[in-house]
Amino acid sequence: MKKLNILLIGLFLASSVSAKVKLPAFFSDDMVLQQQVPCNLWGSSDAHKIVKIKTSWDGKTYKVVADNEGKWKVQVNTPKAGGPYNIVLSDGQTTTLKNVLIGEVWICSGQSNMEMPMKGFKGQPVNGANEELISGADSQLRFFTVKRHATIQPVDTVTGSWSEATSASIREFSATAYFYGKALRSNLKVPVGLILTAWGGSAIEAWMTSDWLKAFPTVKIPATQAEVDKTQQRCPTALYNGMLYPLVGYTMRGVIWYQGEENVNRYQNYATQFTKMITGWREKWKEGNFPFYYCQIAPYDYSLIGWKENSALLREQQSMVEKQVDNCRMAVLLDAGLEYGIHPRKKSQAGERLALLALSNTYHVNGLPEYATYGHVIFDNDTAVVAFDHSKEWVYFQNGISSDNFEIAGEDKVFYPAKVWIARNRIYVRSTEVKHPVAVRYGFKNWVQGDLFHDGLPVSSFRTDQFVSDDVIDSHKK
């Protein structure tokens, strides 16, 4: 009996010394790895253990030694898109990752309009959801959703798992991200992996580090976990620490982003903060200036939640960023909002317009449309003539030969509804109330149904002036 006990103790000690390789949740069965790159893999074992990684696509074995804390990291060379493959990891005990695909990987982040699942929120459906649940199953499209986690310190792990696109998984996954991935799959014909890390109501400050936020003295960095717990997804640094930091280094193609609603009531610094966040993510990832595509927030009547700020000012801040940051473009949703709901139903427009940007700018697919943007204005007596950049085709009004979304003002800063007409890619703006115009605005309100288009895509709201908001007089309220 004594010998048996000694034997059992010996077996226990032996098993505790030879711990099995541990991996973050996103390195698992069914995952997608980025094609044709040195692809990062990492995990932990016992300190100083030799970890062997064998990839089935080329039969190659990589060796790495765990550090003093048992952590290790290695790069494996991935082939052209394909699979499924296996990856076998061993430090004396074997772990096998099965059904691994090689393809295109994108990080999908932001707040509720990125997080909003295909099933919608309560009483807030997604247009076309049922059709996608019926027909959208695709074993080559994979999802990983990071569980919500707000924390004071960066963490190494997340909770989540990979799944193939089925009716059940599509229903629970981000509708915007799904439509994006579906469009890439349809055009590129390669596997696509989408990693969703989003939280409804999250502020941009929550996705940034304390170092990046030092440039913004009004932002209060939390000192304790109790402070984080009070505001969670609105707390500066909390989501970077809990939901982004663990992903940093996962080899991917780029990022799609849909956020901004939470920052409408402090829009003034958004462009600077957003620029800082993008450059910060790129520095952390060490993959160069990877593509970053984002949605401009859709129109919504923010007075319904008691906010006095004009969300067009936040949209304006967003439109500045693509001009300031390389390899960064904005998808316009001015025609896809909901007056009484902050969560628009038209998620296919969001996902597909992001996909147009990626297909055109990252994958260099020819023949795709381009967004026209406000260029400049010339004032000719009582008429303003507005010109556009990137307008290879003529601009046009979606619902006919005119629009009710233009306003014009003189030096008194009183804006009046304007009569407008188009000649080629110029818009002429005039009002009998304004003899000497100095400013034009299009769709520059909380709620608007955008109707100015170019090549099938909406033009963003814009203004030609830089008046201080409090100085502007709305003629409708006189």
Side-chain angles (χ1 to χ4, degrees), residues 151-368:
T151 181
I152 186 72
Q153 293 290 341
V155 296
D156 292 330
T157 61
V158 296
T159 300
S161 61
W162 283 97
S163 62
E164 297 181 358
T166 65
S167 296
S169 64
I170 293 169
R171 177 177 173 81
E172 301 297 329
F173 193 67
S174 160
T176 294
Y178 164 79
F179 283 115
Y180 177 78
K182 178 185 177 183
L184 294 191
R185 281 277 302 124
S186 177
N187 191 284
L188 301 176
K189 312 298 184 186
V190 300
V192 171
L194 304 174
I195 300 176
L196 176 68
T197 179
W199 190 336
S202 61
I204 194 171
E205 298 90 339
W207 297 99
M208 301 172 68
T209 71
S210 57
D211 283 344
W212 305 341
L213 289 169
K214 287 178 180 177
F216 310 98
T218 59
V219 177
K220 185 178 182 298
I221 306 300
T224 65
Q225 184 62 40
E227 291 181 47
V228 172
D229 293 340
K230 286 181 181 178
T231 53
Q232 293 188 311
Q233 75 274 31
R234 294 173 175 84
C235 184
T237 76
L239 302 191
Y240 174 86
N241 291 335
M243 297 178 66
L244 192 82
Y245 178 82
L247 300 174
V248 170
Y250 192 106
T251 308
M252 48 77 173
R253 179 66 69 190
V255 171
I256 59 171
W257 172 264
Y258 192 163
Q259 190 276 338
E261 297 89 347
E262 176 61 27
N263 287 80
V264 163
N265 62 357
R266 54 189 186 284
Y267 65 87
Q268 294 87 344
N269 291 324
Y270 191 87
T272 307
Q273 289 178 332
F274 194 18
T275 297
K276 190 68 176 178
M277 190 201 83
I278 295 169
T279 57
W281 285 22
R282 286 173 170 173
E283 289 170 2
K284 292 291 185 181
W285 240 276
K286 294 180 172 55
E287 288 191 25
N289 290 343
F290 57 72
F292 199 107
Y293 303 123
Y294 63 98
C295 286
Q296 186 182 54
I297 62 170
Y300 160 67
D301 185 358
Y302 282 82
S303 69
L304 296 175
I305 58 174
W307 288 8
K308 297 180 181 179
E309 291 79 9
N310 180 0
S311 61
L313 293 165
L314 191 283
R315 297 198 300 268
E316 180 181 62
Q317 290 277 312
Q318 290 179 309
S319 68
M320 293 163 60
V321 174
E322 65 175 348
K323 299 175 183 177
Q324 299 172 355
V325 182
D326 290 339
N327 207 13
C328 179
R329 293 294 306 276
M330 181 181 76
V332 178
L333 300 176
L334 202 69
D335 62 325
L338 194 62
E339 181 176 8
Y340 56 84
I342 202 168
H343 301 124
R345 300 172 180 177
K346 298 178 179 179
K347 290 295 184 286
S348 62
Q349 282 87 334
E352 289 167 4
R353 288 173 186 175
L354 288 168
L356 283 172
L357 294 175
L359 291 169
S360 179
N361 295 279
T362 297
Y363 299 109
H364 308 294
V365 176
N366 294 323
L368 299 178

Side-chain angles (χ1 to χ4, degrees), residues 14-23 43-54 61-66 70-72 88-96:
S15 65
S16 64
V17 170
S18 182
K20 196 173 185 180
V21 170
K22 294 181 180 178
L23 298 168
S44 63
S45 181
D46 290 333
H48 311 300
K49 272 276 190 175
I50 296 176
V51 179
K52 298 178 181 179
I53 300 99
K54 185 174 183 179
T61 298
Y62 301 80
K63 294 181 181 179
V64 62
V65 179
K71 296 181 179 180
W72 56 266
V88 178
L89 305 98
S90 176
D91 64 351
Q93 296 191 59
T94 298
T95 298
T96 301

